[in-house]
Amino acid sequence: MSAKKGLKLIVDGKRVDGRKLEDLRPVEMRVDLVASANGSSQVRFGNTVAVAAVHGPRELYPRFLQEQETGILRCKYNMAPFSVDDRKSPGPDRRSTELSKVMRLALEPALTLEDYSKATVDVFVEIIQADGSTRVTGLNAASLALVSAGIGMRDLVTACSVGKIDGHLVVDLNGIEDNNSESDFAFAMMPTKKKITLMQMDGELTKEEFMKLLKFAKETCEKIYQIQVKTLKEKYRSE
Ligand code: ADP
């Protein structure tokens, strides 16, 4: 999206919330907060908060949807009506349908679904506060919830946003930056396998800018991955 006329998002190298260009917002992660789920987590990037709950693996009904050789992954992304200042109309819309699919595609390569023939693994992602970069926050939460549910995984999935605002390349866009960016770029990868599972870009970048943002995204995912690992180690240490 293009910037509103006269709106300055970067002044003296500082962003609207005081961050430097390559800074993440404060990140918090916890696991196992939803008692009814097999695995769950909450991830906060500044004022964006995502809760993920995983149910399964469980037998898939109706049976005609079952795959004999593999399990399937289903994802549901939802932004709560109270997650933004202006109440969001409840229920599914085109955006949540797209983001549910995007999340499924970004998570699937990390799962050993071949171990779960005829079954489904269901991932629900609820955005309870939205201030930019909700899909990547939701992906980080989903990844932790899948581990905590004990689903077989080849690697975690770690995600971040990067982009271009006021002509500068930045990391982890908040809401006002997201809505006024020259370009925003959602990125996810399997950090130990070094495999990219999501690249979604809006706006325009030169080839050099794109390559620089790709490097930023990988470096940022490495930082986020370390927080995911720490969160999981604390879980298993306390069990
Ligand atoms: P992402 O949240 O993954 O960056 P978008 O680029 O579609 O996805 O959304 C950018 C931001 O715009 C969201 O994080 C949220 O802060 C805001 N937003 C999205 N949809 C709505 C909505 N229906 N009402 C108010 N704000 C919204």
Side-chain angles (χ1 to χ4, degrees):
M1 254 176 254
S2 59
K4 272 190 207 134
K5 255 201 147 88
L7 180 68
K8 287 296 288 172
L9 291 171
I10 300 184
V11 178
D12 296 335
K14 289 270 173 71
R15 296 159 67 177
V16 280
D17 51 12
R19 282 184 290 159
K20 289 190 285 203
L21 305 183
E22 68 283 12
D23 284 349
L24 277 167
R25 290 173 286 179
V27 178
E28 283 172 23
M29 299 187 186
R30 52 190 279 229
V31 284
D32 297 340
L33 60 147
V34 180
S36 58
N38 296 104
S40 60
S41 83
Q42 179 176 298
V43 172
R44 170 192 292 275
F45 278 45
N47 290 323
T48 294
V49 182
V51 171
V54 170
H55 292 261
R58 56 188 178 185
E59 200 167 349
L60 177 59
Y61 291 103
R63 284 216 172 120
F64 71 84
L65 292 175
Q66 291 180 356
E67 293 287 339
Q68 299 304 305
E69 304 297 327
T70 183
I72 67 161
L73 174 68
R74 297 190 293 192
C75 284
K76 201 161 187 322
Y77 165 102
N78 183 54
M79 241 172 82
F82 53 81
S83 64
V84 282
D85 290 340
D86 299 329
R87 177 178 175 275
K88 182 203 163 279
S89 59
D93 49 25
R94 218 173 61 157
R95 179 174 174 274
S96 62
T97 304
E98 180 207 327
L99 295 197
S100 299
K101 182 177 178 188
V102 160
M103 295 183 76
R104 176 173 63 76
L105 295 174
L107 292 166
E108 256 171 5
L111 302 183
T112 61
L113 287 171
E114 62 278 14
D115 295 339
Y116 305 114
S117 81
K118 302 182 189 166
T120 177
V121 174
D122 293 325
V123 178
F124 300 92
V125 171
E126 291 289 323
I127 305 301
I128 58 172
Q129 279 184 200
D131 185 27
S133 307
T134 62
R135 78 195 67 193
V136 292
T137 312
L139 271 174
N140 290 318
S143 173
L144 286 180
L146 284 160
V147 176
S148 113
I151 307 298
M153 291 176 80
R154 300 182 171 86
D155 200 349
L156 288 182
V157 172
T158 306
C160 70
S161 68
V162 290
K164 183 176 170 187
I165 52 176
D166 281 1
H168 296 272
L169 302 182
V170 300
V171 161
D172 183 25
L173 281 68
N174 65 26
I176 188 170
E177 292 174 337
D178 206 327
N179 290 324
N180 295 284
S181 61
E182 284 147 67
S183 176
D184 70 276
F185 181 173
F187 179 87
M189 66 184 292
M190 290 159 61
T192 63
K193 303 256 178 239
K194 308 275 180 232
K195 283 205 169 142
I196 295 169
T197 66
L198 170 70
M199 284 216 281
Q200 232 188 338
M201 200 186 98
D202 265 348
E204 286 181 13
L205 294 170
T206 64
K207 187 178 165 200
E208 289 69 33
E209 287 169 338
F210 175 80
M211 295 313 288
K212 196 162 175 200
L213 278 185
L214 194 57
K215 185 166 173 280
F216 265 5
K218 288 180 184 170
E219 288 165 1
T220 305
C221 279
E222 183 53 38
K223 291 185 202 162
I224 297 167
Y225 174 63
Q226 295 305 331
I227 307 172
Q228 286 177 308
V229 168
K230 184 165 164 273
T231 307
L232 290 169
K233 277 189 179 160
E234 276 161 18
K235 163 186 161 67
Y236 291 110
R237 203 174 291 133
S238 63
E239 274 178 5

